[in-house]
């Protein structure tokens, strides 16, 4: 494949990470059809890759620092999130999902930058914090968030070597 420039290479790499994390989430989710669990596993898979491979953390930061790539990530996330969280937010329009997806992007970007630059949080607090905050953004009830995070941890632990 021919790349136009460094940004094009970064875009392809970032899209690969997002695509692989979505495929991984679908594969390890099994028969569970809960959209919150799908979202949570996708985020957890991304975080797993980031924690496992230091270069991916840097790639992730660079992707979010690039306005062109960041805009693409937010656009794709907005589409995904409107499908996943429609039942929790029937009154939302596209702009509502766009605004909340920007919030998710900000949370992920901040936590990954913290990992790369200071790494003061332990991995468990980082992951559960991200999952809790991002699910809250989409008005998922707190009890369901707790159950989703517990299921996510169990599934990730069970499938750790396959991720």
């Amino acid at each position: 494949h021919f790349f136009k420039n460094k940004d094009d290479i970064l875009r392809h790499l970032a899209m690969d990470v997002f695509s692989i994390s979505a495929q991984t989430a679908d594969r390890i989710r099994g028969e569970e059809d809960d959209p919150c669990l799908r979202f949570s596993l996708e985020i957890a898979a991304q975080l797993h890759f980031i924690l496992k491979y230091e270069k991916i953390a840097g790639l992730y930061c660079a992707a979010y620092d690039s306005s062109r790539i960041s805009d693409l990530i937010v656009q794709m996330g907005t589409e995904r999130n409107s499908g996943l969280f429609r039942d929790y937010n029937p009154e939302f329009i596209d702009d509502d999902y766009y605004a909340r997806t920007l919030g998710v992007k900000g949370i992920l970007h901040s936590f990954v930058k913290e990992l790369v630059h200071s790494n003061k949080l332990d991995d468990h607090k980082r992951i559960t914090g991200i999952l809790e905050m991002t699910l809250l953004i989409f008005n998922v009830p707190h009890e369901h968030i707790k159950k989703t995070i517990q299921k996510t941890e169990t599934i990730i632990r069970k499938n750790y070597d396959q991720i």
Side-chain angles (χ1 to χ4, degrees):
H1 188 270
F2 177 73
F3 299 105
K4 299 176 197 167
N5 52 38
K6 289 181 191 176
D7 220 33
D8 194 35
I9 295 169
L10 182 60
R11 183 178 63 80
H12 280 282
L13 291 171
M15 293 305 106
D16 284 350
V17 169
F18 289 108
S19 176
I20 290 167
S21 64
Q23 291 168 7
T24 300
D26 286 341
R27 183 174 37 81
I28 64 176
R29 181 170 43 109
E31 299 298 314
E32 290 275 353
D33 196 27
D34 178 4
C36 294
L37 183 61
R38 185 183 192 285
F39 176 86
S40 183
L41 285 170
E42 190 173 327
I43 298 295
Q46 286 177 31
L47 295 170
H48 175 76
F49 297 140
I50 288 165
L51 292 168
K52 191 172 179 179
Y53 305 105
E54 188 177 316
K55 289 189 187 290
I56 290 181
L59 165 72
Y60 203 91
C61 288
Y64 274 132
D65 286 340
S66 163
S67 61
R68 196 174 124 225
I69 297 168
S70 185
D71 289 348
L72 179 62
I73 291 168
V74 170
Q75 176 190 348
M76 291 170 48
T78 299
E79 291 172 20
R80 178 198 64 215
N81 296 336
S82 67
L84 290 174
F85 298 108
R86 181 88 40 211
D87 288 346
Y88 293 98
N89 306 287
E91 74 288 353
F92 276 17
I93 60 173
D94 288 343
D95 283 351
D96 296 312
Y97 285 105
Y98 176 78
R100 280 159 176 79
T101 301
L102 282 173
V104 169
K105 178 190 106 63
I107 290 167
L108 288 167
H109 191 194
S110 294
F111 272 86
V112 174
K113 276 200 172 240
E114 188 279 334
L115 170 70
V116 169
H117 297 294
S118 59
N119 197 14
K120 292 180 183 176
L121 293 174
D122 70 60
D123 294 343
H124 183 261
K125 282 188 189 237
R126 179 178 289 108
I127 292 170
T128 57
I130 290 170
L131 295 177
E132 184 176 4
M133 286 183 252
T134 55
L135 289 167
L136 278 170
I137 284 176
F138 294 107
N139 298 316
V140 176
H142 197 69
E143 275 305 308
H144 191 66
I145 290 172
K146 285 176 19 182
K147 289 178 187 175
T148 300
I149 291 172
Q150 288 171 348
K151 278 185 185 178
T152 299
E153 289 174 336
T154 300
I155 292 170
I156 292 291
R157 200 170 21 257
K158 181 178 168 186
N159 295 280
Y160 189 82
D161 293 335
Q162 298 175 34
I163 298 176

